[in-house]
């Protein structure tokens, strides 16, 4: 008896699963929410990757072996200036908001994981393998994403290739699943009287909550996560509502430099002795050679202002800050690129760390709002925001806004 798969004490028996909530309607509602939500996550994720300009330079490319998976890459525009802020805010906030829906959906179909026989036919075997990729892929993408946002990452290997390749594997299984299940899901939602299927328990326990009630519970969980995350894309009082987000809560300080900081100068190993007026020189190289500029020489060049946000890949952003500094295209002109500014390779004083250098495309250099900033909100940059000078480019991800700049090399990359 103990080995009989129909023994209701074993999870392989349909009778083991007693929740009266399980059934085609509950699973279909959650499935359709995920269909819409995950499609948006996939698209915003791919778009975010394009924003890194991976085709431009190996230093920007976190997945150099991507092959044809990079088929869609495009030159990232510089406008509207909040483009990356919006894209990444949606990607991260929506991902976190969907966690309860994903968990409820997996819970609703968990009896199928144990169903025997493992495969009734070749087609059934293939379907079950694709489900493993689907469930495994979904868990992998959500877990790596959340770890990267919350914990500054703890996985072995870099986050970017894992999350990128994982997304393709997962999305392929997801598309196959959606195509196979869509007709059933729509039918289940249209029919008032439910069709019975294998998800409906043959010996249901007494209900403690209705199916609609359970959906409200899942939705409430999502709403709570949304409400405690979305504020990290705004300043001051709104940011304080982002209780669960690492860049939620209070601003790191007050005054002109009192907005969010990713890595501090201390963390990046920036020594104050290397940034003072006597020590620091910006080294700019281009067609006509190299010039070295002290900070006070830079401050005597024509200065311009632009109001631009910092928007991090981890899904937090600031509102527009007033940056003031030298236009990137004016720096290009100083070294012989007067008319058509080329790409530029930017290197930081920072010696270690993944984001100490970045390449910018010619369109980013040419934009009059793109600056090597010396000031922010009317004051000198603070050490943590990149003193003596940092890059700020409209619509770009935060990683391209290199802090503590030491060297800029203009030329087609
Ligand atoms: N040199 C250097 N520049 C850097 C980084 C870094 O780690 N080192 N981090 C980047 C990232 S990921 C972001 S989001 C922004 C954050 O800028 P902030 O700290 O001024 O808000 O700086 C960018 N510039
Ligand atoms: Mo970032």
């Amino acid at each position: 008896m103990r080995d009989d798969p129909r023994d209701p004490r074993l999870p392989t028996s349909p009778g083991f699963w007693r929740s009266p909530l399980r059934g085609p309607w509950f699973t279909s509602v959650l499935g359709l929410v995920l269909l819409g939500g995950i499609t948006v996550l996939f698209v915003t994720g791919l778009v975010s990757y394009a924003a890194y300009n991976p085709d431009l330079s190996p230093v920007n490319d976190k997945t150099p072996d991507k092959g044809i998976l990079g088929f869609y890459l495009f030159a990232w525009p510089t406008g509207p200036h909040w483009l990356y802020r919006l894209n990444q805010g949606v990607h991260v906030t929506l991902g976190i908001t969907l966690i309860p829906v994903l968990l409820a959906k997996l819970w609703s179909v968990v009896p199928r994981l144990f169903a025997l026989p493992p495969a009734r036919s070749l087609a059934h075997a293939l379907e079950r393998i694709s489900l493993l990729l689907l469930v495994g892929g979904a868990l992998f993408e959500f877990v790596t994403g959340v770890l990267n946002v919350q914990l500054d990452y703890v996985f072995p290997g870099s986050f970017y290739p894992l999350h990128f390749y994982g997304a393709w594997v997962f999305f392929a299984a997801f598309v196959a699943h959606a195509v196979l299940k869509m007709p059933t899901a729509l039918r289940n939602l249209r029919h008032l009287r439910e069709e019975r299927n294998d998800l409906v328990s043959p010996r249901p326990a007494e209900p403690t909550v209705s199916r609609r009630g359970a959906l409200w519970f899942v939705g409430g969980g999502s709403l709570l996560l949304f409400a405690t995350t979305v504020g990290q894309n705004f300043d001051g009082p709104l940011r304080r509502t982002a209780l669960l987000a690492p860049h939620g809560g209070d601003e790191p300080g007050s005054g002109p430099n009192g907005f969010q900081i990713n890595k501090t100068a201390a963390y990046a190993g920036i020594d104050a002795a290397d940034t003072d007026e006597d020590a620091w020189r910006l080294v700019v190289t281009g067609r006509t050679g190299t010039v070295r500029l002290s900070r006070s020489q830079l401050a005597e060049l024509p200065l311009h202002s632009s109001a631009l946000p910092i928007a991090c890949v981890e899904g937090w952003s600031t509102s527009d800050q007033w940056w003031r500094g030298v236009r990137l295209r004016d720096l290009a002109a100083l070294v012989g690129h007067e008319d058509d500014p080329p790409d530029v390779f930017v290197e930081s004083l920072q010696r270690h760390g993944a984001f100490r250098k970045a390449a910018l495309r010619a369109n980013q250099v040419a934009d009059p709002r793109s600056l090597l900033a010396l000031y922010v909100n009317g004051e000198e940059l603070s050490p943590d925001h990149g003193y003596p000078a940092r890059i700020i480019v409209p619509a770009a991800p935060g990683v391209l806004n290199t802090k503590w700049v030491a060297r800029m090399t203009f030329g087609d990359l």
Side-chain angles (χ1 to χ4, degrees):
M1 188 62 187
R2 200 81 182 86
D3 293 312
D4 181 348
R6 284 158 309 174
D7 179 347
R9 285 171 300 179
L10 295 179
T12 46
S13 158
F16 176 88
W17 305 97
R18 303 203 54 197
S19 171
L21 294 175
R22 287 205 182 84
W25 182 81
F26 193 64
T27 294
S28 299
V29 173
L30 297 169
L32 287 176
V33 172
L34 288 177
L35 175 64
I38 285 176
T39 304
V40 174
L41 289 183
F42 186 66
V43 171
T44 50
L46 292 191
V47 164
S48 172
Y49 181 58
Y52 272 62
N53 292 349
D55 272 353
L56 183 59
S57 152
V59 299
N60 291 14
D61 196 347
K62 308 295 177 198
T63 54
D65 303 322
K66 63 192 174 298
I68 56 161
L69 295 183
F71 73 93
Y72 71 94
L73 290 176
F74 54 97
W76 190 248
T78 57
H81 70 278
W82 38 261
L83 185 61
Y84 192 76
R85 189 180 176 202
L86 177 71
N87 184 82
Q88 209 56 11
V90 169
H91 185 74
V92 171
T93 310
L94 180 62
I96 289 176
T97 302
L98 286 178
I99 290 171
V101 185
L102 178 73
L103 294 179
K105 171 74 162 69
L106 294 178
W107 173 85
S108 80
V109 294
V110 80
R112 282 193 184 149
L113 194 63
F114 295 92
L116 290 175
R120 289 188 302 270
S121 62
L122 183 63
H124 186 228
L126 287 177
E127 194 203 318
R128 289 195 81 174
I129 291 172
S130 84
L131 285 181
L132 279 185
L133 290 179
L134 183 72
V135 173
L139 291 174
F140 183 79
E141 287 303 283
F142 277 80
V143 167
T144 50
V146 168
L147 286 180
N148 189 48
V149 168
Q150 291 295 125
L151 298 179
D152 217 23
Y153 209 57
V154 292
F155 255 68
S158 166
F159 164 75
Y160 297 93
L162 292 176
H163 202 65
F164 179 76
Y165 294 125
W168 280 103
V169 171
F170 165 60
F171 201 70
F174 180 76
V175 167
H177 183 73
V179 168
L180 285 172
K181 299 289 181 175
M182 178 71 100
T184 321
L186 292 177
R187 206 167 349 104
N188 286 333
L189 290 185
R190 270 200 304 267
H191 283 208
L192 291 177
R193 202 171 52 79
E194 273 199 291
E195 285 172 44
R196 292 189 67 81
N197 75 357
D198 57 320
L199 293 173
V200 178
S201 174
R203 46 177 217 124
E206 278 301 303
T208 51
V209 56
S210 70
R211 283 189 181 150
R212 271 171 209 282
L215 271 192
W216 278 110
F217 184 69
V218 174
S222 284
L223 200 64
L224 193 68
L225 285 178
F226 177 82
T228 50
T229 303
V230 69
Q232 66 175 330
N233 289 290
F234 304 94
D235 305 325
L238 271 176
R239 186 177 299 277
R240 253 175 257 132
T241 63
L243 302 170
L244 292 179
H247 287 266
D250 289 326
E251 299 292 355
S254 56
N257 276 283
F259 56 97
Q260 287 301 302
I261 296 160
N262 190 351
K263 300 282 158 49
T264 62
Y267 177 95
I270 302 300
D271 192 336
D274 296 332
T275 61
D276 71 21
E277 179 64 26
D278 298 330
W280 184 81
R281 293 290 178 274
L282 175 72
V283 181
V284 188
T285 303
R287 189 188 287 144
T288 52
T290 295
V291 297
R292 287 186 162 69
L293 297 160
S294 70
R295 196 168 187 281
S296 47
Q297 287 171 318
L298 274 172
E300 275 158 26
L301 297 175
L303 299 184
H304 298 270
S305 295
S306 18
L308 298 172
I310 296 283
C312 182
V313 62
E314 287 157 26
W316 59 269
S317 55
T318 71
S319 59
D320 295 352
Q321 312 293 329
W322 277 98
W323 307 92
R324 190 164 172 76
V326 184
R327 283 183 173 152
L328 298 188
R329 65 182 195 194
D330 291 349
L331 290 171
L334 274 184
V335 287
H337 304 276
E338 281 82 8
D339 306 319
D340 245 347
D343 309 328
V344 66
F345 181 55
V346 182
E347 294 164 274
S348 173
L349 274 180
Q350 189 185 344
R351 285 197 189 86
H352 305 283
F355 303 135
R356 66 183 193 280
K357 42 193 178 175
L360 299 172
R361 242 181 241 286
N363 67 317
Q364 291 170 317
V365 175
D367 193 296
R369 295 166 296 179
S370 299
L371 302 176
L372 180 72
L374 308 176
Y375 308 93
V376 66
N377 300 321
E379 242 182 46
E380 300 276 359
L381 286 176
S382 69
D384 289 340
H385 284 301
Y387 181 90
R390 80 168 305 164
I391 299 287
I392 186 85
V393 171
V399 291
L400 298 183
N401 294 328
T402 309
K403 302 197 276 191
W404 315 292
V405 172
R407 187 183 291 271
M408 300 175 68
T409 308
F410 288 92
D412 291 320
L413 291 168

